[in-house]
Amino acid sequence: MSIKSINVRNQFRGTIKEIIEGPVVSEVDVATPAGIVTSVITTRSVKELDLKPGREVIAFVKSTEVSIATL
């Protein structure tokens, strides 16, 4: 499969570090040059995409809001 175009500007190439699989949803940790990106997706999607630690992926981040707090 190749991605021809997608409307998500924040893309992080990385490698799956860990998958914490639950009965309905799973956490997928992706190691990127910028750090770890964690995605919560359905366990069904994890299986359909055949996600496994060590597999190279692209994490797409799309958000309608970014909050900022002072330190």
Side-chain angles (χ1 to χ4, degrees):
M1 177 178 143
S2 65
I3 299 171
K4 295 185 179 179
S5 67
I6 191 162
N7 187 23
V8 179
R9 294 180 187 263
N10 300 311
Q11 302 177 19
F12 302 93
R13 285 187 177 272
T15 304
I16 296 176
K17 181 177 179 182
E18 181 181 15
I19 299 174
I20 301 171
E21 199 169 294
V24 178
V25 296
S26 297
E27 292 180 39
V28 180
D29 290 340
V30 179
T32 74
I36 300 292
V37 175
T38 302
S39 176
V40 177
I41 64 173
T42 64
T43 300
R44 180 179 181 177
S45 291
V46 169
K47 293 177 182 188
E48 287 178 358
L49 292 168
D50 195 28
L51 299 181
K52 297 183 181 340
R55 182 152 188 205
E56 290 186 45
V57 293
I58 301 174
F60 297 100
V61 179
K62 187 168 185 175
S63 176
T64 57
E65 178 180 336
V66 176
S67 300
I68 297 175
T70 58
L71 299 175

